[in-house]
């Protein structure tokens, strides 16, 4: 009896969908609506601080503290200039959020197998977020592929976020009108004073604060290691590792505003 009922039910379902194609469309739309939209995190592939021989990379807490804010609302993917496994700086699993991220099998796998820029479709993302770490100073600014991805996301009414040395990825981004993304906008990043405080002002290839100002940015800042987040429209920037959570919160707020 069961063998007869199953095909009958299947035939009835197909017939109902044939008579009412709107039902099928509604189911498809519902399925798409249930899928979380995506944010692209950018992390550095550079592993040495200039000629010092000291290791660097992306700063783990600047990934995780923004991730923790955004992960329940958006799916997060990772890209790095070289793809694959990016080098880590600030690897501190005594930080419970770092530990939570590192022990999350899905996201640990994602960041350990980051995409190459050529594998990214900008249309898939509502925001892009540049995590810092000193490595960003060497491989973010001249990466034209990631800059194009950021331009496409921004010009598609998306949000661009960056924290600490992450804004190094913003210095050469130009919009379709030929202007720098940061030109005329309020911006924040790792300050000249903070670079001097960590004694790397002569090691980094340029002073990030100075370069952003040269690009026309209206630079804002607070004292050493103080959380500071600057929002100018759909551009969100933070000063230092202490600002990563705040940047995540501000990015989330901007994305929520865009839905209204």
């Amino acid at each position: 009896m069961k063998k007869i009922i199953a095909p009958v039910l299947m035939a009835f379902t197909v017939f109902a969908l044939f008579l009412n194609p709107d039902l099928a469309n509604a189911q498809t739309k519902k399925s798409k609506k249930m899928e979380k939209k995506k944010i692209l995190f950018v992390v550095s592939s550079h592993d040495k601080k200039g000629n010092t021989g000291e290791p660097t990379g992306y700063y783990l807490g600047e990934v995780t503290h923004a991730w923790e804010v955004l992960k329940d609302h958006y799916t997060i993917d990772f890209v790095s200039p070289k793809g694959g496994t990016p080098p880590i700086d600030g690897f501190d699993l005594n930080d419970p959020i770092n530990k939570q991220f590192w022990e999350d099998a899905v996201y640990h796998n994602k960041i350990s197998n980051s995409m190459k820029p050529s594998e990214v479709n900008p249309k898939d993302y509502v925001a892009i977020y540049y995590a810092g770490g000193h490595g960003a100073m060497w491989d973010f600014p001249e990466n034209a592929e990631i800059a194009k991805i950021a331009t496409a996301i921004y010009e598609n009414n998306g949000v661009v976020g960056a924290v600490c040395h992450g804004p190094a990825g913003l210095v050469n981004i130009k919009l379709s009108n030929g202007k720098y993304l940061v030109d005329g906008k309020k911006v924040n990043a790792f300050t000249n004073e903070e670079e001097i405080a960590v004694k790397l002002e002569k090691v980094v290839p340029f002073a990030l604060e100075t370069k952003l100002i040269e690009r026309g940015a209206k630079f804002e800042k607070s004292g050493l290691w103080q959380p500071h987040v600057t929002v100018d429209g759909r551009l969100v920037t933070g000063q230092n590792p202490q600002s990563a959570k705040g940047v995540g919160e501000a990015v989330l707020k901007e994305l929520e505003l865009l839905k209204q």
Side-chain angles (χ1 to χ4, degrees):
M1 186 67 178
K2 287 181 181 179
K3 291 181 180 180
I4 297 172
I5 291 173
V8 170
L9 285 174
M10 184 178 291
F12 179 78
T13 301
V14 171
F15 184 64
L17 292 174
F18 176 77
L19 290 178
N20 189 2
D22 288 341
L23 181 61
N25 291 336
Q27 289 176 342
T28 302
K29 288 178 181 177
K30 184 178 180 182
S31 175
K32 287 183 177 179
K33 190 174 181 181
M34 290 174 67
E35 293 176 5
K36 288 194 289 187
K37 292 185 177 180
K38 300 204 288 185
I39 296 175
L40 184 65
F41 275 38
V42 188
V43 292
S44 175
S45 297
H46 190 82
D47 65 355
K48 291 289 187 295
K49 294 175 182 173
N51 296 321
T52 66
E54 294 179 12
T56 188
Y58 72 88
Y59 200 83
L60 183 59
E62 293 174 24
V63 168
T64 64
H65 284 251
W67 165 84
E68 199 271 336
V69 172
L70 296 164
K71 67 181 176 63
D72 292 334
H73 306 274
Y74 296 90
T75 296
I76 294 167
D77 291 337
F78 294 89
V79 65
S80 61
K82 293 182 180 178
T85 305
I88 309 172
D89 201 357
F91 189 76
D92 176 15
L93 295 189
N94 289 320
D95 178 328
I97 296 175
N98 284 355
K99 190 173 188 293
Q100 180 189 359
F101 175 87
W102 204 245
E103 292 178 354
D104 185 303
V106 171
Y107 279 106
H108 189 157
N109 181 64
K110 277 190 171 188
I111 201 166
S112 298
N113 296 278
S114 64
M115 292 185 291
K116 294 178 181 178
S118 60
E119 297 173 317
V120 175
N121 181 355
K123 293 180 181 178
D124 292 340
Y125 300 93
V126 294
I128 184 169
Y129 169 77
Y130 289 85
H134 271 91
M137 293 292 288
W138 280 271
D139 65 354
F140 278 9
E142 304 304 325
N143 194 291
E145 288 180 286
I146 298 178
K148 287 179 182 177
I149 292 167
T151 299
I153 291 171
Y154 186 79
E155 292 189 337
N156 194 33
N157 206 37
V159 175
V160 173
V163 72
C164 198
H165 288 94
L170 309 181
V171 299
N172 289 322
I173 293 177
K174 284 189 175 180
L175 303 178
S176 298
N177 61 10
K179 293 180 65 176
Y180 287 108
L181 169 65
V182 299
D183 189 9
K185 294 187 178 71
K186 292 182 290 184
V187 172
N188 187 226
F190 203 66
T191 67
N192 290 348
E193 292 86 356
E194 285 170 323
E195 205 69 80
I196 291 168
V198 296
K199 299 180 180 179
L200 290 171
E201 76 278 9
K202 294 180 181 178
V203 175
V204 291
F206 59 89
L208 183 51
E209 174 185 338
T210 302
K211 182 68 73 175
L212 288 165
I213 292 170
E214 288 174 359
R215 295 293 191 245
K218 300 174 181 176
F219 199 88
E220 297 185 346
K221 57 184 172 181
S222 295
L224 298 177
W225 324 126
Q226 298 302 305
H228 188 129
V229 176
T230 296
V231 179
D232 194 332
R234 292 177 288 108
L235 179 62
V236 181
T237 46
Q239 183 169 320
N240 42 38
Q242 292 80 0
S243 307
K245 179 179 180 180
V247 172
E249 290 170 340
V251 167
L252 180 60
K253 183 178 179 181
E254 289 304 309
L255 288 170
E256 294 302 308
L257 288 172
L258 290 172
K259 291 179 182 178
Q260 296 177 5

